Amino acid sequence: MNSPLALLSLIVALPLFGVFFALTSKDDADKPGRNAFNVCVFTLLANIVLIWRIFMILDEESGSLQLIERFRWLANPEINIMFGVDTFSLLLILAVHLSVLAGLAGVRRNIVKQKSLMVFTLLFLSMATGFFVAADIFSFYIFFEAMLIPLFMIVGIFGEVKKQGTVYRFFLYNFLGAIILFSAVMLIYHMHGSVTLEEIAGLKWTRRLDVYIWGAVFLAFLSRIPVWPFHFWISSVCAGLRNPLAFIVTALLPLTGIYGFIRFLPEPVPFPLNVFVDWISIIGIVTMLFIALIGFINKDSQYKIFSYITVYYILYLLGAFSGDEMVLLNIGFSLFSFMLIFSSLETLLTHILRKEEQEDIRSSGFLCKTKRLSFACSYLTIAAVGMPLSAIFINNFFILSKLLASNVKMGMVLIFSLVMVGCTLLQELFRLKTDNPACRADRNDDISFPVFAFFIFIMFILLMSFINPLWFVIDE
Amino acid sequence: MISQLFFSLIAIALLALLVVQGRRRRIWSFLLLAACGFLMYELLLSFREDAFSSFVYQWGGFQNLQFSLHLSGTPEIDKILLSLLGSAVGLVYLNSVYWGENHKLTVNTAVLLNVAAFILLLCSKDFVQLMVGSSCLAILGFYLIPDMESKRKFIFYGFLSEMALFTALAVVYEVIPSMNLQDMEQFSTIGRHKDLVALLILLCVFCQAGMLGFQNHILDLQTLTFNRIMIFCLTSLPLSSLVIFTKLRPLLVASQYTEPVLSIWLAAAAAWCLVAMLLTDSLKAAAIYLNLLFYAFSLAFLGVCPDGLDRVINFFPAALLLNILLMMVNNAASNELYVSRLGGLARHIRFTFVLSLAGVAAFIGSFLNVPAVAEKIAFIYLAVVLTGLSSIMSRVFLGKANADDKVMALLKNPSPLYWLPLIGVFVWLGWEYPFWRNKMFYAFFGAFILLLLIAPFRFCGRWSDDEDVQEADWFNDLYQIVILAPLRLLGRVLWVLVDFIVIERSIIGTVAQTSDFLVSGLQKLQGSVRQSYLLMIALGLAVLLLNMGYEYYE
């Protein structure tokens, strides 16, 4: 199916137009960056409407990429930019947009370098969208690396705590990943020319090249995923950020690694890939347990959210290794809810932490005085731990059953890690809800009504996604 | 009718939530009671007319992820719901008249939603509806508990039980692979990990029912008022354990360990509850132990009578009765909670005493009408309950008077709002179970009177002032020492050792030092010394020559 109106290019380009408008927006003296913020929100909303429109014309049952768009970039060597989308990738694009929107709700009142933040966020959004709609290996590689530029700037500008070390680690891991993937892409191009993502899984090489190319691809994707020891850069970035939008954008990065695995990995996994997969599975399980335990004892709320994110990302990674189409579909649905949940939780928690720092109030007991926050945090936490308030509940059931089928012992460790991170989040919720006389928060510290209304909307989406993950799609 | 009942309950509850902040909450509360009464009447009519409705709605899914909402009635389901709705109407009435409850409408709404969640659980025909029903009861319980510490424990145990159920069913799904509860029979024949599944389900059931070792969240309910304790114990998460136990029985019997684990655990739970009842000084704690004992009995009963869920739910009014009796004593004694500060009340509030004896008689009678296979279990249960209850009642009504002047001056019998419905319940129980014809009734009741008069366990009263005994929370301490402390220690060690020493210091440090070394080396070469440049050119030429030589050789 070809795309009418080049919709895919439009959803990649629209944030770039937004960048232009944000850059040229006038700064009000009393509200610096407000116009840029509005541009960002409107661009996002416009893109969400377009994504919704794409859902309408997409064949949900088809497993292959649709709405193909092809643009000639270079004639010799022949390099094209090719876009295509399926339900899975479009769902992730929508989730990224909604997550960023949740992050924007948390930086509404930010006045420090707001314009830069908006510009780089829009740039990131454009690159991330480009990454998810990329249909050939070059487009994939370009957007895979291009999204690091705005991210690097965001972390550099808003990395607040231990900025230098954070940026150094960020650069080190991602730069290595980029070089490794570049070499693999070059080799693939050298052997087979410009290939589409759907063809990669079927490509044949010599044994030695197989080991090298797949090893490089695996390492490049792993550098984005918080699997030991790659978790360290993400943990240090996430723990240092006090800007919810920067945190959310950074925490979306592992998604690109998982998506890469899903797009690249052949089914069934041939030799020698299965050796890699086995090793990564073992390391992934150990990392899950390790991060879950650290999150349990760590007192930093940001780290707790990070541990939750990590454990779930690894769960999705392990599910992706199964290669089962049913599991992949469930991963898509579950990821959608997961991203909405963690970005909303992060925004709300940052609000509390910021109030704690600004007004010197104890965050313990904060939710006793702030009803809107309390309701939103309770709902999102209970949904986050896997209760039937979002699609995570049912979809994780399928993912876990598949993982338990492959190895019950590893599956039990995995479930133990899920229980641990669940307890970690609940522990944090109750810390915030336990009445504390030292907490001087009052009703004025609550989130505003528009922000609350937005989170009610997010909760509504989550609840509806539990009933039907594609409830918003009206078939034409 | 069941679907109508389900949606009506939710609609009424939502309506109540809308007016919860408004005025005239007591009137709204009674209106709610009237609505519940009407629903029960309708259910009774449909039950008598054998009009069992069928309701299946394909509610969710995408491609091959299809689930249905089943709300179809069967004679058994209707009977169970009738009993439960009866108990719920009683609880709504109690909330409406109980002076100690300030949030009548909220609590009544919670009762209705609990019943709705129970319907979801009871009518489930697939794993998803079963898990959703159970989780809904856990979430509703969370909002029913006002105290944060109790809430915290409740949600942790609830979460643990839900995860155990989730895991067990995920393992089963991977083996059979079907979501349908009817297909579980296949698991016993082709199933792998039978023991694991059975143990996980037992863990879920024990956590929900608050059996020995998993009772902390239930015991913490002592901070709640009596009516909330009753609502929680009889319409919330513990109730879910009975349905799960019944529905997932094919998975439990597939393991050879189920029966011994269940028998040993329930016997230990009953013994522990008895000892705790003898030692406790709090009337609320006694009520909670009675409820825990009831759940131990119910699980044992279901263990020998697989189709006995309707009978177990039919025992609910009787179990509720004992709670109400203890609540009445508490009310009569100006809200005095401690047994050691009461005593000799029989002389002052004779009517309450007689009412309590009548209540115990009705209670005994209710449990004598059981199938022969469960008779032994019922007798053991009665023996344990009557022993514990007699010890408390003996100290409260017949023991030495320890109440202060204020309490003694304000002693009063309960108002007709309490005792009139109670007498109605006695009459109904007498009509439902004509126990006076049963010889065992006289034996048990006689034994109870004897125990009341002799009070062989009165020596336990010496520990009523002992804080170490009264506030002992051994299991909590055990969890802290055996599970939480090692996990925290392990987490800290991993954090410090792996994150900081291995990654930060070793890997990142090495990379940083290596790049520093390379940069400093290159800086030296790029310095102002000509020899350095000559050396570089010479090295470059050497590499070029080597490469050319290699190509020539090839």
Side-chain angles (χ1 to χ4, degrees):
Chain A
M1 188 194 291
N2 287 323
S3 166
L5 292 169
L7 280 171
L8 298 185
S9 314
L10 203 57
I11 57 169
V12 178
L14 206 61
L16 289 177
F17 292 133
V19 169
F20 172 73
F21 280 106
L23 275 172
T24 52
S25 64
K26 194 181 168 188
D27 255 352
D28 288 347
D30 53 336
K31 288 176 183 171
R34 189 72 186 164
N35 287 334
F37 174 84
N38 289 339
V39 167
C40 194
V41 170
F42 281 109
T43 311
L44 240 83
L45 291 175
N47 237 13
I48 287 171
V49 172
L50 279 177
I51 294 164
W52 187 38
R53 173 70 195 143
I54 298 171
F55 264 116
M56 307 276 194
I57 52 177
L58 207 66
D59 177 13
E60 298 151 24
E61 309 287 321
S62 169
S64 58
L65 294 176
Q66 302 162 60
L67 309 177
I68 301 292
E69 294 170 23
R70 199 187 296 264
F71 306 97
R72 168 66 58 88
W73 185 14
L74 289 175
N76 192 18
E78 191 194 337
I79 296 176
N80 298 322
I81 294 290
M82 194 173 151
F83 291 152
V85 78
D86 60 2
T87 310
F88 183 83
S89 51
L90 199 57
L91 210 56
L92 294 187
I93 296 171
L94 183 61
V96 168
H97 277 71
L98 288 171
S99 302
V100 171
L101 206 57
L104 284 174
V107 294
R108 237 162 43 110
R109 308 251 178 248
N110 175 44
I111 48 168
V112 184
K113 295 176 183 167
Q114 179 81 323
K115 202 180 211 177
S116 315
L117 183 63
M118 294 304 119
V119 166
F120 289 122
T121 302
L122 283 171
L123 205 57
F124 172 80
L125 212 58
S126 172
M127 299 302 129
T129 309
F131 171 75
F132 288 116
V133 296
D136 77 321
I137 191 161
F138 266 104
S139 317
F140 183 88
Y141 175 72
I142 290 163
F143 287 107
F144 185 76
E145 299 308 334
M147 76 173 80
L148 288 179
I149 301 165
L151 200 60
F152 186 74
M153 299 308 287
I154 290 172
V155 173
I157 297 169
F158 300 96
E160 290 164 20
V161 187
K162 295 179 189 168
K163 193 191 287 181
Q164 207 178 356
T166 306
V167 172
Y168 169 67
R169 281 178 212 126
F170 177 84
F171 179 75
L172 180 74
Y173 281 103
N174 287 296
F175 181 63
L176 287 175
I179 291 174
I180 292 167
L181 187 63
F182 182 71
S183 65
V185 169
M186 285 299 120
L187 272 171
I188 295 172
Y189 183 76
H190 178 68
M191 306 285 290
H192 299 278
S194 185
V195 291
T196 63
L197 290 185
E198 285 173 321
E199 289 168 346
I200 288 176
L203 297 180
K204 297 276 179 277
W205 299 293
T206 60
R207 178 78 168 273
R208 191 187 281 180
L209 266 179
D210 238 0
V211 173
Y212 179 76
I213 290 176
W214 284 115
V217 166
F218 270 53
L219 265 178
F221 292 151
L222 276 180
S223 69
R224 295 276 174 99
I225 303 170
V227 171
W228 196 92
F230 301 105
H231 76 282
F232 198 63
W233 79 264
I234 309 179
S235 78
S236 47
V237 170
C238 290
L241 290 172
R242 284 289 179 269
N243 184 309
L245 188 58
F247 182 100
I248 290 165
V249 169
T250 311
L252 287 175
L253 207 58
L255 184 66
T256 60
I258 291 167
Y259 182 77
F261 275 114
I262 290 172
R263 281 281 172 248
F264 275 62
L265 215 58
E267 169 58 29
V269 183
F271 184 81
L273 254 77
N274 56 356
V275 181
F276 288 127
V277 168
D278 289 347
W279 274 104
I280 294 170
S281 301
I282 293 167
I283 296 170
I285 293 277
V286 173
T287 310
M288 265 181 134
L289 192 63
F290 167 76
I291 297 287
L293 284 170
I294 296 179
F296 189 66
I297 57 119
N298 206 311
K299 287 184 177 155
D300 182 17
S301 312
Q302 301 281 87
Y303 200 97
K304 284 182 191 292
I305 297 258
F306 163 74
S307 68
Y308 169 73
I309 294 170
T310 303
V311 168
Y312 270 75
Y313 269 136
I314 298 176
L315 168 72
Y316 298 129
L317 174 71
L318 298 175
F321 283 159
S322 74
D324 187 300
E325 235 177 76
M326 173 94 161
V327 175
L328 292 185
L329 196 67
N330 279 291
I331 289 176
F333 295 147
S334 185
L335 264 171
F336 177 78
S337 296
F338 161 74
M339 284 156 73
L340 287 194
I341 288 172
F342 91 71
S343 49
S344 306
L345 262 180
E346 167 58 25
T347 305
L348 297 175
L349 268 179
T350 318
H351 171 87
I352 296 169
L353 291 175
R354 202 183 295 146
K355 289 278 175 193
E356 186 184 28
E357 281 167 13
Q358 280 172 359
E359 298 173 24
D360 194 26
I361 49 178
R362 295 281 294 278
S363 62
S364 167
F366 195 96
L367 296 182
C368 297
K369 316 279 170 54
T370 48
K371 280 187 178 173
R372 290 170 186 161
L373 255 176
S374 176
F375 177 72
C377 283
S378 301
Y379 185 98
L380 291 167
T381 308
I382 292 175
V385 301
M387 291 284 184
L389 295 174
S390 76
I392 285 183
F393 176 73
I394 292 174
N395 300 117
N396 281 9
F397 179 81
F398 285 98
I399 302 168
L400 282 171
S401 69
K402 194 74 190 174
L403 293 173
L404 283 162
S406 57
N407 190 329
V408 80
K409 283 176 192 155
M410 269 167 71
M412 291 309 287
V413 177
L414 194 148
I415 284 164
F416 178 74
S417 309
L418 291 181
V419 172
M420 287 298 290
V421 282
C423 288
T424 303
L425 284 191
L426 290 170
Q427 207 180 31
E428 185 62 10
L429 176 72
F430 287 111
R431 186 184 73 81
L432 294 170
K433 279 178 94 103
T434 306
D435 200 14
N436 176 12
C439 176
R440 289 187 288 109
D442 57 31
R443 286 175 62 185
N444 296 329
D445 296 312
D446 208 344
I447 46 175
S448 63
F449 184 75
V451 174
F452 181 61
F454 171 73
F455 284 111
I456 290 284
F457 174 65
I458 294 281
M459 287 179 233
F460 172 75
I461 293 177
L462 288 171
L463 196 62
M464 290 305 287
S465 73
F466 167 64
I467 296 168
N468 182 355
L470 296 178
W471 60 276
F472 49 86
V473 180
I474 305 158
D475 289 324
E476 288 184 335
Chain B
M1 178 62 206
I2 291 187
S3 56
Q4 287 154 299
L5 177 68
F6 177 76
F7 292 117
S8 305
L9 285 171
I10 291 178
I12 295 169
L14 290 177
L15 188 71
L17 282 176
L18 285 178
V19 297
V20 78
Q21 299 293 342
R23 296 160 91 191
R24 293 178 183 154
R25 274 173 273 175
R26 187 180 280 257
I27 295 173
W28 279 109
S29 207
F30 276 105
L31 279 174
L32 204 97
L33 177 68
C36 281
F38 175 73
L39 286 174
M40 196 182 157
Y41 175 71
E42 286 287 309
L43 187 68
L44 190 67
L45 280 186
S46 76
F47 181 68
R48 283 192 180 155
E49 290 164 9
D50 289 342
F52 304 115
S53 62
S54 173
F55 180 90
V56 181
Y57 174 68
Q58 196 80 33
W59 65 268
F62 177 78
Q63 288 183 359
N64 37 2
L65 287 174
Q66 303 287 338
F67 316 109
S68 303
L69 172 68
H70 291 270
L71 292 172
S72 305
T74 61
E76 196 198 10
I77 287 178
D78 277 29
K79 202 173 162 193
I80 291 170
L81 284 181
L82 211 53
S83 302
L84 189 78
L85 202 59
S87 303
V89 170
L91 287 168
V92 170
Y93 173 79
L94 192 70
N95 287 329
S96 306
V97 299
Y98 184 50
W99 57 268
E101 181 55 65
N102 295 322
H103 301 94
K104 294 180 192 304
L105 210 50
T106 314
V107 175
N108 283 340
T109 307
V111 174
L112 299 194
L113 288 175
N114 274 343
V115 176
F118 179 77
I119 292 174
L120 207 60
L121 187 70
L122 188 67
C123 297
S124 59
K125 291 218 170 12
D126 60 40
F127 292 170
V128 173
Q129 192 175 330
L130 186 85
M131 289 191 288
V132 169
S134 172
S135 303
C136 283
L137 281 170
I139 294 168
L140 289 169
F142 174 74
Y143 285 102
L144 195 67
I145 304 169
D147 176 64
M148 199 47 68
E149 182 58 24
S150 316
K151 211 175 227 193
R152 189 176 67 83
K153 277 190 190 166
F154 171 76
I155 204 74
F156 277 125
Y157 278 91
F159 176 56
L160 192 67
S161 71
E162 295 311 320
M163 282 307 281
L165 181 66
F166 190 83
T167 312
L169 296 182
V171 174
V172 176
Y173 178 72
E174 153 274 293
V175 174
I176 38 181
S178 163
M179 286 289 219
N180 206 325
L181 288 172
Q182 282 177 336
D183 296 335
M184 280 186 309
E185 300 286 349
Q186 295 172 25
F187 183 75
S188 54
T189 51
I190 57 166
R192 300 182 294 271
H193 320 300
K194 290 177 192 173
D195 299 333
L196 175 72
V197 168
L199 289 177
L200 282 168
I201 294 171
L202 283 180
L203 172 68
C204 164
V205 167
F206 289 162
C207 274
Q208 291 188 339
M211 290 298 103
L212 185 66
F214 307 101
Q215 77 284 11
N216 275 336
H217 60 305
I218 308 265
L219 288 182
D220 261 29
L221 299 178
Q222 287 180 60
T223 51
L224 271 61
T225 48
F226 260 108
N227 61 322
R228 288 197 187 206
I229 292 175
M230 282 184 251
I231 290 169
F232 187 86
C233 289
L234 298 172
T235 67
S236 188
L237 201 60
L239 183 60
S240 159
S241 67
L242 302 181
V243 182
I244 288 173
F245 187 79
T246 309
K247 295 239 170 202
L248 302 183
R249 192 180 169 81
L251 302 178
L252 288 169
V253 295
S255 167
Q256 54 178 334
Y257 296 110
T258 301
E259 206 183 320
V261 168
L262 192 67
S263 313
I264 294 168
W265 217 282
L266 295 183
W272 169 76
C273 280
L274 174 62
V275 174
M277 267 183 77
L278 293 173
L279 290 175
T280 190
D281 194 36
S282 160
L283 287 173
K284 277 187 189 170
I288 289 171
Y289 286 123
L290 281 172
N291 293 332
L292 290 180
L293 264 173
F294 174 68
Y295 276 101
F297 158 75
S298 302
L299 289 173
F301 184 89
L302 290 172
V304 293
C305 297
D307 302 323
L309 187 62
D310 55 336
R311 300 192 76 119
V312 167
I313 304 290
N314 231 10
F315 291 136
F316 269 48
L320 195 66
L321 198 63
L322 292 187
N323 285 256
I324 294 173
L325 294 181
L326 291 176
M327 187 185 93
M328 273 191 346
V329 172
N330 176 249
N331 284 358
S334 310
N335 220 19
E336 180 56 68
L337 198 63
Y338 297 104
V339 177
S340 59
R341 292 182 205 160
L342 296 171
L345 299 193
R347 275 172 288 160
H348 304 278
I349 43 173
R350 281 200 191 100
F351 181 66
T352 308
F353 181 54
V354 173
L355 212 58
S356 302
L357 290 181
V360 172
F363 172 78
I364 295 169
S366 318
F367 285 89
L368 291 177
N369 187 21
V370 291
V373 68
E375 237 173 23
K376 201 170 143 191
I377 294 165
F379 290 166
I380 293 172
Y381 169 64
L382 279 176
V384 172
V385 168
L386 295 179
T387 308
L389 198 63
S390 68
S391 167
I392 290 167
M393 283 179 67
S394 161
R395 283 158 66 197
V396 169
F397 286 110
L398 306 174
K400 192 183 154 199
N402 293 317
D404 58 25
D405 296 341
K406 194 180 157 196
V407 170
M408 291 307 274
L410 293 173
L411 282 177
K412 59 170 188 236
N413 284 312
S415 81
L417 282 175
Y418 290 102
W419 62 258
L420 270 175
L422 213 54
I423 287 176
V425 173
F426 296 162
V427 171
W428 175 76
L429 285 173
W431 178 68
E432 183 81 9
Y433 312 103
F435 47 81
W436 55 86
R437 294 181 199 152
N438 194 327
K439 283 178 194 165
M440 288 308 289
F441 166 72
Y442 297 101
F444 274 110
F445 194 63
F448 175 73
I449 298 291
L450 206 63
L451 284 171
L452 204 64
L453 295 172
I454 300 170
F457 297 105
R458 62 175 169 267
F459 66 90
C460 293
R462 74 175 70 151
W463 286 294
S464 56
D465 291 333
D466 192 331
E467 280 189 14
D468 291 338
V469 174
Q470 294 301 325
E471 288 169 19
D473 200 350
W474 298 321
F475 287 99
N476 198 29
D477 297 343
L478 195 72
Y479 288 142
Q480 291 288 341
I481 295 164
V482 177
I483 300 172
L484 290 177
L487 282 178
R488 286 199 180 106
L489 185 71
L490 188 63
R492 198 157 289 279
V493 168
L494 288 172
W495 188 27
V496 173
L497 190 78
V498 182
D499 263 13
F500 283 103
I501 297 177
V502 177
I503 302 178
E504 175 82 47
R505 296 273 161 82
S506 308
I507 300 176
I508 295 180
T510 310
V511 173
Q513 282 166 5
T514 312
S515 53
D516 278 353
F517 174 74
L518 285 172
V519 168
S520 65
L522 287 170
Q523 274 176 345
K524 277 180 188 162
L525 287 173
Q526 291 270 52
S528 55
V529 188
R530 282 177 195 156
Q531 288 89 327
S532 303
Y533 287 98
L534 282 173
L535 180 69
M536 286 300 287
I537 290 165
L539 275 172
L541 281 172
V543 171
L544 204 65
L545 284 171
L546 273 173
N547 191 34
M548 283 166 69
Y550 181 72
E551 276 186 9
Y552 178 74
Y553 175 77
E554 285 278 301

